[in-house]
Amino acid sequence: MPKAPRIPRTSGGSAWAARAAEAGFAVWIGATVLSQHPVRTFDRLRRYDRMNVLIPNWRFFAPNPAQHDCHLLYRTLSDTGEASLWKQASSITGRSWTHVVWDPARRREKGFLDLCNDFTNRTNKGLELTDSVAYRLMSAFVLRHVRQSDPDWPHITGYQFLIVQSGGYEESEELQYRFTSPFVPVTRGTADGRTNGPGENPPTAAA
């Protein structure tokens, strides 16, 4: 009769290494799971991860998921001193299944939402807005949109923008006006136009 194959014996050192690896893996899994908890007390576990690579953060939207949409409106001031009606400078792209793989517009939307959140946070804290980086970025974004998309650009001497918050799909929720900028002047010192520097007097809209 053929002999049964021998089962190699595991040495004591190999068995100890295997148990240590299993214990280490269990500790890592436990620390990773606990670190996703909304209670920030468990974030203390991350202090052992000096490089911030061993314990991932998979909270994504937790604990405060976005519940509102942010919209950017603007109006312009003509060379005759007349203010235009409010126009939309931002848009939210409708979602489709293809966006699971490719959605380049999402980065711009996410950046715009982050700016809106920064405006809201600074407003709630009573901080100055017109000297903030978020204000300068938003103002530059509006200027670029006006220069590229507004047919009245050759006659525009200033612009003003307005940040509005809506309930998104919750249409019953009233709009909230988060921030209204002063009129920002546009000069023709360069070929594409530019805003005046800090300290220069902005134009005023006709009543």
Side-chain angles (χ1 to χ4, degrees):
M1 293 180 61
K3 295 181 179 180
R6 290 186 177 181
I7 299 177
R9 296 182 179 180
T10 303
S11 64
S14 298
W16 182 89
R19 296 295 181 270
E22 292 172 357
F25 185 73
V27 171
W28 175 72
I29 289 293
T32 299
V33 172
L34 289 175
S35 294
Q36 314 314 312
H37 198 282
V39 177
R40 295 291 178 173
T41 303
F42 294 102
D43 279 349
R44 296 176 181 176
L45 296 171
R46 299 185 186 279
R47 65 185 179 183
Y48 299 106
D49 183 13
R50 300 293 184 181
M51 302 298 293
N52 294 320
V53 295
L54 297 178
I55 303 178
N57 186 354
W58 293 332
R59 285 190 178 93
F60 293 111
F61 309 106
N64 299 312
Q67 300 176 355
H68 300 88
D69 287 338
C70 192
H71 308 271
L72 181 63
L73 306 178
Y74 76 95
R75 61 176 180 171
T76 58
L77 189 67
S78 69
D79 49 12
T80 59
E82 296 181 2
S84 70
L85 298 176
W86 290 101
K87 307 175 186 179
Q88 192 162 339
S90 66
S91 61
I92 300 177
T93 306
R95 298 291 177 255
S96 68
W97 288 106
T98 58
H99 289 160
V100 176
V101 180
W102 178 249
D103 186 12
R106 182 57 182 166
R107 289 184 177 273
R108 182 178 62 183
E109 293 177 6
K110 180 60 169 61
F112 173 66
L113 182 60
D114 288 343
L115 285 179
C116 288
N117 290 335
D118 189 50
F119 269 86
T120 301
N121 292 336
R122 294 181 69 89
T123 299
N124 293 339
K125 295 177 181 179
L127 300 177
E128 176 62 33
L129 287 171
T130 54
D131 290 334
S132 66
V133 174
Y135 175 85
R136 296 174 185 173
L137 289 174
M138 195 73 79
S139 181
F141 176 85
V142 175
L143 176 60
R144 179 182 178 186
H145 176 83
V146 173
R147 187 171 62 239
Q148 295 181 349
S149 304
D150 198 302
D152 296 329
W153 166 248
H155 307 288
I156 291 175
T157 59
Y159 62 91
Q160 181 183 28
F161 62 90
L162 168 66
I163 298 177
V164 183
Q165 181 177 290
S166 73
Y169 290 103
E170 185 59 44
E171 298 181 356
S172 61
E173 187 172 333
E174 295 184 359
L175 297 176
Q176 298 183 31
Y177 300 94
R178 289 299 185 184
F179 177 78
T180 304
S181 77
F183 268 91
V184 182
V186 174
T187 62
R188 304 294 171 174
T190 60
D192 59 353
R194 60 179 177 83
T195 56
N196 284 336
E200 296 190 33
N201 297 325
T204 55

